Amino acid sequence: MEDINAIAALQDPVRRRLYEYVAAQGREVGRNEAAEAAGVARTLAAHHLDKLTEAGLLESGSRRLTGRSGPGAGRPAKVYTRSRAERAVALPARDYRTAADLLAEAADEAGLDAGLYAAARRRGEALRGSAAPCGDLEEAMKTLAARGYEPHLEGAEGADGEAAPVVRMRNCPFHAVAERFPPLVCGMNLALLEGLLGTDGPVHARMDARPGECCVVVEDSKNNDD
């Protein structure tokens, strides 16, 4: 019931806009910023943000948004980030996570990495179907967003020393299992995305783990040239 109540909190359109904005930022968001993004008054935004926190969908804290400290720095402001807790509803009840954990444990103990990666790559190719490999990073981001990866574009150091764009992902759809079996599941994720995006096109998926984000990044293939 707790998960149902949490998800029901998003039924209000203003509350949902606020949640989606905070979740998309990947950082702390203050009340004024959230209110402006949602197009509502600050007091209304504060009410809904606190309700989302009570529902366990957001986490709240406080800090000075001016970046200053000491006298004259102002009072700390309330800030919000997406909760790290996962919410899911299945009616009737299902427990696919336990099944995934058991299968991952068995594969890890039996050394079935290569077979798992091959199956993941085939699944990615099947999901892509007859479509050509992704043509550019923008197309790759749309594909990743549709799969729930929450991609965002960042600058990265290219081979020529100049900043080159790289797509990072704020969400790992396999996070719970990846925490228990990082090498196995991250390798599976990479193989899946190689099949989904294509390995012989203009974009390239590679491993580049960073705390709090997906272990895979996507970049222009030419940035991977020797």
Side-chain angles (χ1 to χ4, degrees):
M1 288 297 296
E2 183 180 345
D3 282 0
I4 293 177
N5 292 336
I7 293 172
L10 296 173
Q11 184 175 0
D12 183 283
V14 173
R15 199 170 293 175
R16 182 160 186 162
R17 288 204 304 273
L18 287 164
Y19 173 78
E20 289 176 344
Y21 179 77
V22 173
Q25 303 315 302
R27 56 174 173 78
E28 294 176 330
V29 174
R31 286 173 167 175
N32 287 338
E33 179 185 348
E36 183 177 352
V40 298
R42 183 184 183 280
T43 52
L44 181 60
H47 167 75
H48 284 303
L49 289 166
D50 286 340
K51 288 295 183 182
L52 289 167
T53 302
E54 290 174 14
L57 295 170
L58 297 181
E59 295 177 358
S60 65
S62 61
R63 68 177 176 85
R64 288 188 173 89
L65 299 178
T66 60
R68 296 181 297 168
S69 60
R75 295 174 57 188
K78 201 163 187 178
V79 291
Y80 303 84
T81 56
R82 180 171 56 182
S83 172
R84 288 166 289 185
E86 295 182 12
R87 302 290 180 181
V89 175
L91 299 172
R94 297 289 187 262
D95 190 4
Y96 299 115
R97 181 179 296 177
T98 297
D101 281 344
L102 291 171
L103 290 168
E105 183 176 350
D108 191 47
E109 291 179 353
L112 300 178
D113 307 50
L116 175 62
Y117 301 162
R121 191 170 290 105
R122 288 195 301 271
R123 175 58 62 90
E125 291 169 350
L127 291 171
R128 176 159 53 93
S130 60
C134 284
D136 53 32
L137 292 183
E138 182 177 355
E139 184 180 346
M141 288 183 69
K142 291 179 181 178
T143 300
L144 294 166
R147 303 296 304 174
Y149 283 91
E150 299 183 5
H152 62 103
L153 202 61
E154 284 191 4
E157 195 71 14
D160 56 1
E162 296 183 0
V166 61
V167 176
R168 291 189 175 273
M169 295 163 265
R170 293 194 176 98
N171 182 50
C172 171
F174 315 110
H175 173 73
V177 188
E179 279 195 317
R180 290 195 60 199
F181 308 97
L184 180 76
V185 178
C186 290
M188 178 198 75
N189 189 24
L190 174 61
L192 177 71
L193 292 181
E194 286 176 340
L196 183 65
L197 303 176
T199 56
D200 54 352
V203 300
H204 166 80
R206 63 176 173 84
M207 201 78 75
D208 187 14
R210 192 163 77 174
E213 294 190 349
C214 177
C215 57
V216 178
V217 299
V218 179
E219 62 186 3
D220 193 305
S221 294
K222 65 184 179 182
N223 297 328
N224 193 51
D225 294 340
D226 293 329

